[in-house]
Amino acid sequence: MTELPAFLDSRVDRLDSYLAEHDLEAVWFARPNSFAWLTGGDNVVDYAGDVGVAAAGYDGDLHVVTDNIEAGRLADEEVPDAFSVEQVQWYESSLAEAVKNTSPTPAAADFDVPGFETIDVSTLRQPLTEADIEVYRELGRDAAEAVESVASQLEPGDTEHEVAAALRVGLSARDINAPVVLVGGEERAQQYRHYTPQVAELGGYALLSVTAERSGLCASLTRTVAFDPPEWLDERHEKAATVDVSALEATQRVAREGGTAGDVFSAIQAAYDAVGFEGEWQHHHQGGAAGYAGREWIATPTSDAPVHAPMGYAWNPTVQGAKSEDTVLVTEDGFEVLTSTGEWETREIESADGDLTLDRHDIRHLD
């Protein structure tokens, strides 16, 4: 095998273990985030599809299978030299057929290949590696910079659609895709937890929420700007941030104890009770682990997903009309807000039980 780039060492180790544990000869990845996880490259041409134009596989050696349209470009621009790029004629075979005809068996894939088992790639992508974390830091900083640049220039008469367009441009200029862009003005941010942009003016304040993707990694964040906000906004924002910090505290503790996402969710429920909004969690999901998906898993009261460290977590508690959200690297001994520029106002927030205090992003008041 060609000498591996540093980031691939840990990938191959995990894949070797997976093959041995499941008595398989090969695994294949064609969904864009998993292809990016293994190769560091991009297999997307049509963003409307769930499966890209190439599959990356491992059978002791590293392979990419695609058609003759894409093979040269992928070899030149997207995948390391450690991968052999094998092609079929575009008119002779589907990607699934090409993988089936190429791969030793038994095998598993993250897309539908006849006769192959299904692989849950999320388990392979957790926890994050040091190489992942370095890329994540750059993505988080750049995504926050794009969002904060747009947010700082808003006016009450701007429409949600206009703001969403500006966010997409700002992210794209930084080589970032935006699978989720939400903009809620004063009226709609109070009505809906997912404020998909409409032709409606912002009014007294606005929430801007994005999930940003680059190199397969996803970072989520929300910023709040205020012009003439309702009196309750500051209090509700602080309460949402208190739940946020409580979730992070519980995440670190549960990771140390080897617990589950359901254990963290119990702490989230208790935090809502403590801030006087019992049951508010029922109106919106609270987030969860983040990495090579907007959420590798979303916590629920009964979720048995393991909680890892180091890992990204994007908790997003809401209290009607207010929201606190960033992507935070949680390690065994600390917290690092990845979606931060250091230029936005912050406020010290205590967890509901008072055992942890973190700086959380505050409301920016614009004249």
Side-chain angles (χ1 to χ4, degrees):
M1 181 188 294
T2 303
E3 184 176 354
L4 298 179
F7 83 93
L8 271 173
D9 287 334
S10 63
R11 309 291 199 252
V12 166
D13 288 345
R14 292 185 188 185
L15 292 173
D16 281 333
S17 297
Y18 188 89
L19 292 178
E21 180 181 353
H22 295 273
D23 196 23
L24 295 169
E25 295 295 324
V27 287
W28 292 87
F29 310 107
R31 296 187 180 276
N33 54 347
S34 295
F35 184 93
W37 172 78
L38 181 54
T39 68
D42 187 351
N43 70 341
V44 177
V45 172
D46 180 358
Y47 280 93
D50 293 331
V51 173
V53 296
Y58 179 73
D59 60 5
D61 292 311
L62 293 159
H63 309 273
V64 166
V65 171
T66 187
D67 61 34
N68 62 297
I69 304 172
E70 308 298 342
R73 178 180 64 82
L74 293 177
D76 291 343
E77 299 179 348
E78 297 295 346
V79 299
D81 291 340
F83 288 81
S84 63
V85 178
E86 300 156 34
Q87 69 180 45
V88 297
Q89 296 302 113
W90 68 266
Y91 51 85
E92 291 182 348
S93 177
S94 69
L95 181 60
E97 291 169 339
V99 167
K100 181 176 176 61
N101 292 335
T102 299
S103 178
T105 56
D110 71 344
F111 68 120
D112 188 14
V113 179
F116 282 26
E117 297 179 18
T118 300
I119 181 172
D120 177 8
V121 191
S122 182
T123 60
L124 287 169
R125 300 190 299 241
Q126 300 178 65
L128 297 174
T129 67
E130 284 301 317
D132 293 328
I133 291 168
E134 287 305 310
V135 176
Y136 222 162
R137 286 187 174 117
E138 293 181 8
L139 168 62
R141 182 189 64 246
D142 290 351
E145 183 181 84
V147 173
E148 292 174 7
S149 176
V150 171
S152 299
Q153 301 176 59
L154 298 183
E155 297 180 355
D158 293 335
T159 69
E160 295 171 355
H161 263 177
E162 291 169 338
V163 178
L167 288 169
R168 292 187 185 279
V169 169
L171 290 164
S172 180
R174 293 166 174 82
D175 191 28
I176 299 172
N177 298 316
V180 178
V181 174
L182 304 176
V183 180
E186 179 177 11
E187 180 178 347
R188 297 184 64 256
Q190 296 177 59
Q191 291 180 305
Y192 309 110
R193 307 296 165 127
H194 285 156
Y195 26 85
T196 54
Q198 302 295 320
V199 184
E201 292 187 357
L202 299 181
Y205 80 99
L207 303 182
L208 283 61
S209 302
V210 306
T211 295
E213 181 272 328
R214 186 168 65 197
S215 301
L217 284 164
C218 295
S220 298
L221 68 147
T222 293
R223 294 292 182 269
T224 306
V225 295
F227 312 103
D228 183 20
E231 292 182 358
W232 47 258
L233 180 61
D234 187 75
E235 179 185 6
R236 291 187 188 179
H237 179 88
E238 183 172 359
K239 291 181 183 299
T242 299
V243 178
D244 194 357
V245 173
S246 301
L248 290 166
E249 176 192 24
T251 300
Q252 186 184 67
R253 171 176 51 79
V254 170
R256 288 171 176 165
E257 296 170 353
T260 68
D263 298 325
V264 180
F265 201 87
S266 295
I268 291 172
Q269 290 173 301
Y272 273 112
D273 293 350
V275 299
F277 280 87
E278 182 178 355
E280 187 75 4
W281 59 268
Q282 298 177 51
H283 301 299
H284 185 236
H285 80 75
Q286 301 300 301
Y292 284 86
R295 301 294 188 276
E296 295 282 8
W297 47 256
I298 290 176
T300 68
T302 59
S303 174
D304 61 359
V307 178
H308 294 287
M311 192 66 200
Y313 290 89
W315 298 109
N316 50 254
T318 59
V319 175
Q320 186 179 10
K323 183 177 183 180
S324 180
E325 179 183 29
D326 276 294
T327 301
V328 179
L329 177 67
V330 178
T331 67
E332 289 190 359
D333 55 7
F335 305 87
E336 178 183 345
V337 180
L338 298 174
T339 46
S340 175
T341 63
E343 300 298 325
W344 194 270
E345 296 84 347
T346 61
R347 184 190 311 191
E348 283 193 351
I349 299 292
E350 284 190 355
S351 59
D353 61 12
D355 288 343
L356 177 67
T357 300
L358 292 175
D359 285 341
R360 299 301 299 115
H361 285 106
D362 207 350
I363 301 168
R364 173 162 289 184
H365 292 265
L366 301 176
D367 295 332

PDB file of all heavy atoms in Angstrom, residues 271-298:
ATOM      1  N   ALA A 271     -32.629  20.749  33.740  1.00  0.00           N
ATOM      2  CA  ALA A 271     -32.229  22.148  33.591  1.00  0.00           C
ATOM      3  C   ALA A 271     -33.416  23.012  33.182  1.00  0.00           C
ATOM      4  O   ALA A 271     -33.575  24.137  33.677  1.00  0.00           O
ATOM      5  CB  ALA A 271     -31.102  22.265  32.567  1.00  0.00           C
ATOM      6  N   TYR A 272     -34.239  22.527  32.283  1.00  0.00           N
ATOM      7  CA  TYR A 272     -35.448  23.271  31.921  1.00  0.00           C
ATOM      8  C   TYR A 272     -36.331  23.477  33.152  1.00  0.00           C
ATOM      9  O   TYR A 272     -36.900  24.561  33.355  1.00  0.00           O
ATOM     10  CB  TYR A 272     -36.231  22.539  30.840  1.00  0.00           C
ATOM     11  CG  TYR A 272     -35.796  22.851  29.422  1.00  0.00           C
ATOM     12  CD1 TYR A 272     -35.173  21.891  28.635  1.00  0.00           C
ATOM     13  CD2 TYR A 272     -36.039  24.110  28.863  1.00  0.00           C
ATOM     14  CE1 TYR A 272     -34.795  22.173  27.328  1.00  0.00           C
ATOM     15  CE2 TYR A 272     -35.660  24.397  27.565  1.00  0.00           C
ATOM     16  CZ  TYR A 272     -35.039  23.421  26.801  1.00  0.00           C
ATOM     17  OH  TYR A 272     -34.659  23.715  25.508  1.00  0.00           O
ATOM     18  N   ASP A 273     -36.467  22.446  33.958  1.00  0.00           N
ATOM     19  CA  ASP A 273     -37.257  22.595  35.189  1.00  0.00           C
ATOM     20  C   ASP A 273     -36.660  23.671  36.083  1.00  0.00           C
ATOM     21  O   ASP A 273     -37.376  24.516  36.638  1.00  0.00           O
ATOM     22  CB  ASP A 273     -37.294  21.266  35.954  1.00  0.00           C
ATOM     23  CG  ASP A 273     -38.069  20.174  35.233  1.00  0.00           C
ATOM     24  OD1 ASP A 273     -38.756  20.481  34.225  1.00  0.00           O
ATOM     25  OD2 ASP A 273     -37.978  19.003  35.661  1.00  0.00           O
ATOM     26  N   ALA A 274     -35.336  23.662  36.205  1.00  0.00           N
ATOM     27  CA  ALA A 274     -34.661  24.586  37.117  1.00  0.00           C
ATOM     28  C   ALA A 274     -34.805  26.038  36.681  1.00  0.00           C
ATOM     29  O   ALA A 274     -34.846  26.941  37.537  1.00  0.00           O
ATOM     30  CB  ALA A 274     -33.177  24.218  37.229  1.00  0.00           C
ATOM     31  N   VAL A 275     -34.895  26.293  35.371  1.00  0.00           N
ATOM     32  CA  VAL A 275     -35.012  27.684  34.909  1.00  0.00           C
ATOM     33  C   VAL A 275     -36.472  28.115  34.765  1.00  0.00           C
ATOM     34  O   VAL A 275     -36.757  29.218  34.294  1.00  0.00           O
ATOM     35  CB  VAL A 275     -34.264  27.902  33.577  1.00  0.00           C
ATOM     36  CG1 VAL A 275     -32.779  27.621  33.742  1.00  0.00           C
ATOM     37  CG2 VAL A 275     -34.870  27.083  32.440  1.00  0.00           C
ATOM     38  N   GLY A 276     -37.387  27.255  35.179  1.00  0.00           N
ATOM     39  CA  GLY A 276     -38.796  27.639  35.196  1.00  0.00           C
ATOM     40  C   GLY A 276     -39.555  27.375  33.913  1.00  0.00           C
ATOM     41  O   GLY A 276     -40.648  27.924  33.716  1.00  0.00           O
ATOM     42  N   PHE A 277     -39.016  26.515  33.039  1.00  0.00           N
ATOM     43  CA  PHE A 277     -39.688  26.189  31.787  1.00  0.00           C
ATOM     44  C   PHE A 277     -39.832  24.673  31.644  1.00  0.00           C
ATOM     45  O   PHE A 277     -39.392  24.072  30.677  1.00  0.00           O
ATOM     46  CB  PHE A 277     -38.942  26.777  30.591  1.00  0.00           C
ATOM     47  CG  PHE A 277     -39.230  28.238  30.378  1.00  0.00           C
ATOM     48  CD1 PHE A 277     -38.485  29.210  31.046  1.00  0.00           C
ATOM     49  CD2 PHE A 277     -40.251  28.643  29.527  1.00  0.00           C
ATOM     50  CE1 PHE A 277     -38.752  30.557  30.859  1.00  0.00           C
ATOM     51  CE2 PHE A 277     -40.512  29.988  29.347  1.00  0.00           C
ATOM     52  CZ  PHE A 277     -39.771  30.954  30.005  1.00  0.00           C
ATOM     53  N   GLU A 278     -40.471  24.085  32.614  1.00  0.00           N
ATOM     54  CA  GLU A 278     -40.697  22.639  32.617  1.00  0.00           C
ATOM     55  C   GLU A 278     -41.434  22.213  31.346  1.00  0.00           C
ATOM     56  O   GLU A 278     -42.431  22.828  30.961  1.00  0.00           O
ATOM     57  CB  GLU A 278     -41.510  22.246  33.850  1.00  0.00           C
ATOM     58  CG  GLU A 278     -41.763  20.760  33.976  1.00  0.00           C
ATOM     59  CD  GLU A 278     -42.539  20.406  35.230  1.00  0.00           C
ATOM     60  OE1 GLU A 278     -42.786  21.335  36.044  1.00  0.00           O
ATOM     61  OE2 GLU A 278     -42.892  19.225  35.397  1.00  0.00           O
ATOM     62  N   GLY A 279     -40.930  21.185  30.696  1.00  0.00           N
ATOM     63  CA  GLY A 279     -41.574  20.651  29.500  1.00  0.00           C
ATOM     64  C   GLY A 279     -41.269  21.405  28.222  1.00  0.00           C
ATOM     65  O   GLY A 279     -41.725  20.994  27.147  1.00  0.00           O
ATOM     66  N   GLU A 280     -40.480  22.475  28.303  1.00  0.00           N
ATOM     67  CA  GLU A 280     -40.179  23.254  27.090  1.00  0.00           C
ATOM     68  C   GLU A 280     -39.420  22.420  26.065  1.00  0.00           C
ATOM     69  O   GLU A 280     -39.521  22.665  24.856  1.00  0.00           O
ATOM     70  CB  GLU A 280     -39.361  24.492  27.478  1.00  0.00           C
ATOM     71  CG  GLU A 280     -39.105  25.476  26.356  1.00  0.00           C
ATOM     72  CD  GLU A 280     -40.318  26.330  25.977  1.00  0.00           C
ATOM     73  OE1 GLU A 280     -41.355  26.198  26.664  1.00  0.00           O
ATOM     74  OE2 GLU A 280     -40.208  27.114  25.015  1.00  0.00           O
ATOM     75  N   TRP A 281     -38.690  21.419  26.514  1.00  0.00           N
ATOM     76  CA  TRP A 281     -37.931  20.549  25.615  1.00  0.00           C
ATOM     77  C   TRP A 281     -38.824  19.796  24.628  1.00  0.00           C
ATOM     78  O   TRP A 281     -38.347  19.332  23.587  1.00  0.00           O
ATOM     79  CB  TRP A 281     -37.100  19.554  26.424  1.00  0.00           C
ATOM     80  CG  TRP A 281     -37.930  18.678  27.336  1.00  0.00           C
ATOM     81  CD1 TRP A 281     -38.242  18.930  28.635  1.00  0.00           C
ATOM     82  CD2 TRP A 281     -38.542  17.431  27.012  1.00  0.00           C
ATOM     83  NE1 TRP A 281     -39.018  17.923  29.161  1.00  0.00           N
ATOM     84  CE2 TRP A 281     -39.223  16.990  28.168  1.00  0.00           C
ATOM     85  CE3 TRP A 281     -38.597  16.649  25.865  1.00  0.00           C
ATOM     86  CZ2 TRP A 281     -39.932  15.790  28.207  1.00  0.00           C
ATOM     87  CZ3 TRP A 281     -39.310  15.454  25.893  1.00  0.00           C
ATOM     88  CH2 TRP A 281     -39.970  15.031  27.050  1.00  0.00           C
ATOM     89  N   GLN A 282     -40.095  19.675  24.940  1.00  0.00           N
ATOM     90  CA  GLN A 282     -40.996  18.931  24.059  1.00  0.00           C
ATOM     91  C   GLN A 282     -41.249  19.644  22.730  1.00  0.00           C
ATOM     92  O   GLN A 282     -41.703  19.024  21.773  1.00  0.00           O
ATOM     93  CB  GLN A 282     -42.334  18.694  24.762  1.00  0.00           C
ATOM     94  CG  GLN A 282     -42.222  17.853  26.020  1.00  0.00           C
ATOM     95  CD  GLN A 282     -43.549  17.703  26.731  1.00  0.00           C
ATOM     96  OE1 GLN A 282     -44.550  17.331  26.127  1.00  0.00           O
ATOM     97  NE2 GLN A 282     -43.567  18.008  28.022  1.00  0.00           N
ATOM     98  N   HIS A 283     -40.938  20.938  22.648  1.00  0.00           N
ATOM     99  CA  HIS A 283     -41.277  21.726  21.462  1.00  0.00           C
ATOM    100  C   HIS A 283     -40.177  21.722  20.391  1.00  0.00           C
ATOM    101  O   HIS A 283     -40.385  22.248  19.305  1.00  0.00           O
ATOM    102  CB  HIS A 283     -41.583  23.171  21.866  1.00  0.00           C
ATOM    103  CG  HIS A 283     -42.703  23.278  22.843  1.00  0.00           C
ATOM    104  ND1 HIS A 283     -43.984  22.838  22.561  1.00  0.00           N
ATOM    105  CD2 HIS A 283     -42.741  23.764  24.118  1.00  0.00           C
ATOM    106  CE1 HIS A 283     -44.761  23.046  23.614  1.00  0.00           C
ATOM    107  NE2 HIS A 283     -44.028  23.611  24.566  1.00  0.00           N
ATOM    108  N   HIS A 284     -39.003  21.159  20.721  1.00  0.00           N
ATOM    109  CA  HIS A 284     -37.909  21.195  19.755  1.00  0.00           C
ATOM    110  C   HIS A 284     -36.850  20.197  20.192  1.00  0.00           C
ATOM    111  O   HIS A 284     -36.621  20.028  21.393  1.00  0.00           O
ATOM    112  CB  HIS A 284     -37.286  22.595  19.702  1.00  0.00           C
ATOM    113  CG  HIS A 284     -36.234  22.770  18.649  1.00  0.00           C
ATOM    114  ND1 HIS A 284     -34.955  23.194  18.948  1.00  0.00           N
ATOM    115  CD2 HIS A 284     -36.254  22.569  17.317  1.00  0.00           C
ATOM    116  CE1 HIS A 284     -34.245  23.260  17.829  1.00  0.00           C
ATOM    117  NE2 HIS A 284     -35.002  22.882  16.826  1.00  0.00           N
ATOM    118  N   HIS A 285     -36.198  19.528  19.229  1.00  0.00           N
ATOM    119  CA  HIS A 285     -35.098  18.644  19.616  1.00  0.00           C
ATOM    120  C   HIS A 285     -33.972  19.485  20.202  1.00  0.00           C
ATOM    121  O   HIS A 285     -33.805  20.659  19.888  1.00  0.00           O
ATOM    122  CB  HIS A 285     -34.633  17.785  18.433  1.00  0.00           C
ATOM    123  CG  HIS A 285     -33.730  18.459  17.460  1.00  0.00           C
ATOM    124  ND1 HIS A 285     -32.396  18.718  17.717  1.00  0.00           N
ATOM    125  CD2 HIS A 285     -33.942  18.931  16.207  1.00  0.00           C
ATOM    126  CE1 HIS A 285     -31.835  19.307  16.685  1.00  0.00           C
ATOM    127  NE2 HIS A 285     -32.753  19.468  15.747  1.00  0.00           N
ATOM    128  N   GLN A 286     -33.174  18.854  21.047  1.00  0.00           N
ATOM    129  CA  GLN A 286     -32.177  19.576  21.828  1.00  0.00           C
ATOM    130  C   GLN A 286     -30.761  19.471  21.265  1.00  0.00           C
ATOM    131  O   GLN A 286     -29.822  20.008  21.830  1.00  0.00           O
ATOM    132  CB  GLN A 286     -32.194  19.071  23.275  1.00  0.00           C
ATOM    133  CG  GLN A 286     -33.534  19.239  23.956  1.00  0.00           C
ATOM    134  CD  GLN A 286     -33.971  20.690  24.008  1.00  0.00           C
ATOM    135  OE1 GLN A 286     -33.270  21.526  24.582  1.00  0.00           O
ATOM    136  NE2 GLN A 286     -35.112  21.001  23.425  1.00  0.00           N
ATOM    137  N   GLY A 287     -30.608  18.768  20.130  1.00  0.00           N
ATOM    138  CA  GLY A 287     -29.296  18.627  19.533  1.00  0.00           C
ATOM    139  C   GLY A 287     -28.608  17.359  19.978  1.00  0.00           C
ATOM    140  O   GLY A 287     -29.243  16.401  20.443  1.00  0.00           O
ATOM    141  N   GLY A 288     -27.295  17.324  19.829  1.00  0.00           N
ATOM    142  CA  GLY A 288     -26.540  16.134  20.186  1.00  0.00           C
ATOM    143  C   GLY A 288     -25.129  16.177  19.641  1.00  0.00           C
ATOM    144  O   GLY A 288     -24.555  17.247  19.472  1.00  0.00           O
ATOM    145  N   ALA A 289     -24.574  14.994  19.355  1.00  0.00           N
ATOM    146  CA  ALA A 289     -23.202  14.886  18.874  1.00  0.00           C
ATOM    147  C   ALA A 289     -23.097  15.423  17.454  1.00  0.00           C
ATOM    148  O   ALA A 289     -23.973  15.196  16.624  1.00  0.00           O
ATOM    149  CB  ALA A 289     -22.744  13.435  18.923  1.00  0.00           C
ATOM    150  N   ALA A 290     -22.012  16.133  17.164  1.00  0.00           N
ATOM    151  CA  ALA A 290     -21.784  16.716  15.841  1.00  0.00           C
ATOM    152  C   ALA A 290     -20.418  16.272  15.332  1.00  0.00           C
ATOM    153  O   ALA A 290     -19.478  16.099  16.099  1.00  0.00           O
ATOM    154  CB  ALA A 290     -21.840  18.242  15.907  1.00  0.00           C
ATOM    155  N   GLY A 291     -20.335  16.089  14.026  1.00  0.00           N
ATOM    156  CA  GLY A 291     -19.076  15.678  13.416  1.00  0.00           C
ATOM    157  C   GLY A 291     -19.261  15.610  11.914  1.00  0.00           C
ATOM    158  O   GLY A 291     -19.456  16.637  11.259  1.00  0.00           O
ATOM    159  N   TYR A 292     -19.271  14.407  11.374  1.00  0.00           N
ATOM    160  CA  TYR A 292     -19.466  14.231   9.940  1.00  0.00           C
ATOM    161  C   TYR A 292     -20.955  14.129   9.592  1.00  0.00           C
ATOM    162  O   TYR A 292     -21.346  13.472   8.641  1.00  0.00           O
ATOM    163  CB  TYR A 292     -18.685  13.023   9.441  1.00  0.00           C
ATOM    164  CG  TYR A 292     -17.209  13.317   9.331  1.00  0.00           C
ATOM    165  CD1 TYR A 292     -16.375  13.170  10.428  1.00  0.00           C
ATOM    166  CD2 TYR A 292     -16.659  13.782   8.144  1.00  0.00           C
ATOM    167  CE1 TYR A 292     -15.020  13.466  10.347  1.00  0.00           C
ATOM    168  CE2 TYR A 292     -15.303  14.085   8.051  1.00  0.00           C
ATOM    169  CZ  TYR A 292     -14.499  13.926   9.154  1.00  0.00           C
ATOM    170  OH  TYR A 292     -13.157  14.231   9.061  1.00  0.00           O
ATOM    171  N   ALA A 293     -21.760  14.812  10.378  1.00  0.00           N
ATOM    172  CA  ALA A 293     -23.188  15.016  10.128  1.00  0.00           C
ATOM    173  C   ALA A 293     -23.591  16.182  11.007  1.00  0.00           C
ATOM    174  O   ALA A 293     -22.943  16.462  12.029  1.00  0.00           O
ATOM    175  CB  ALA A 293     -24.012  13.775  10.479  1.00  0.00           C
ATOM    176  N   GLY A 294     -24.665  16.887  10.615  1.00  0.00           N
ATOM    177  CA  GLY A 294     -25.130  17.975  11.455  1.00  0.00           C
ATOM    178  C   GLY A 294     -25.330  17.504  12.884  1.00  0.00           C
ATOM    179  O   GLY A 294     -24.988  18.202  13.843  1.00  0.00           O
ATOM    180  N   ARG A 295     -25.867  16.300  13.012  1.00  0.00           N
ATOM    181  CA  ARG A 295     -25.944  15.605  14.291  1.00  0.00           C
ATOM    182  C   ARG A 295     -25.664  14.133  14.020  1.00  0.00           C
ATOM    183  O   ARG A 295     -26.413  13.482  13.290  1.00  0.00           O
ATOM    184  CB  ARG A 295     -27.314  15.763  14.967  1.00  0.00           C
ATOM    185  CG  ARG A 295     -27.761  17.199  15.263  1.00  0.00           C
ATOM    186  CD  ARG A 295     -26.899  17.884  16.291  1.00  0.00           C
ATOM    187  NE  ARG A 295     -27.460  19.170  16.687  1.00  0.00           N
ATOM    188  CZ  ARG A 295     -27.275  20.312  16.028  1.00  0.00           C
ATOM    189  NH1 ARG A 295     -26.521  20.330  14.925  1.00  0.00           N
ATOM    190  NH2 ARG A 295     -27.828  21.433  16.456  1.00  0.00           N
ATOM    191  N   GLU A 296     -24.602  13.605  14.597  1.00  0.00           N
ATOM    192  CA  GLU A 296     -24.350  12.174  14.493  1.00  0.00           C
ATOM    193  C   GLU A 296     -25.458  11.397  15.187  1.00  0.00           C
ATOM    194  O   GLU A 296     -25.819  10.295  14.779  1.00  0.00           O
ATOM    195  CB  GLU A 296     -22.992  11.814  15.101  1.00  0.00           C
ATOM    196  CG  GLU A 296     -21.790  12.397  14.368  1.00  0.00           C
ATOM    197  CD  GLU A 296     -21.440  11.629  13.092  1.00  0.00           C
ATOM    198  OE1 GLU A 296     -22.209  10.727  12.684  1.00  0.00           O
ATOM    199  OE2 GLU A 296     -20.389  11.931  12.491  1.00  0.00           O
ATOM    200  N   TRP A 297     -25.975  11.961  16.253  1.00  0.00           N
ATOM    201  CA  TRP A 297     -27.200  11.489  16.871  1.00  0.00           C
ATOM    202  C   TRP A 297     -27.863  12.663  17.573  1.00  0.00           C
ATOM    203  O   TRP A 297     -27.225  13.636  17.939  1.00  0.00           O
ATOM    204  CB  TRP A 297     -26.977  10.337  17.862  1.00  0.00           C
ATOM    205  CG  TRP A 297     -25.854  10.494  18.859  1.00  0.00           C
ATOM    206  CD1 TRP A 297     -24.633   9.885  18.835  1.00  0.00           C
ATOM    207  CD2 TRP A 297     -25.861  11.307  20.065  1.00  0.00           C
ATOM    208  NE1 TRP A 297     -23.872  10.269  19.916  1.00  0.00           N
ATOM    209  CE2 TRP A 297     -24.606  11.129  20.695  1.00  0.00           C
ATOM    210  CE3 TRP A 297     -26.799  12.146  20.676  1.00  0.00           C
ATOM    211  CZ2 TRP A 297     -24.260  11.762  21.885  1.00  0.00           C
ATOM    212  CZ3 TRP A 297     -26.462  12.790  21.863  1.00  0.00           C
ATOM    213  CH2 TRP A 297     -25.207  12.593  22.456  1.00  0.00           C
ATOM    214  N   ILE A 298     -29.190  12.572  17.673  1.00  0.00           N
ATOM    215  CA  ILE A 298     -29.986  13.559  18.406  1.00  0.00           C
ATOM    216  C   ILE A 298     -30.472  12.891  19.681  1.00  0.00           C
ATOM    217  O   ILE A 298     -31.046  11.796  19.645  1.00  0.00           O
ATOM    218  CB  ILE A 298     -31.170  14.065  17.563  1.00  0.00           C
ATOM    219  CG1 ILE A 298     -30.647  14.939  16.409  1.00  0.00           C
ATOM    220  CG2 ILE A 298     -32.164  14.850  18.423  1.00  0.00           C
ATOM    221  CD1 ILE A 298     -31.722  15.404  15.451  1.00  0.00           C
TER     222      ILE A 298
END
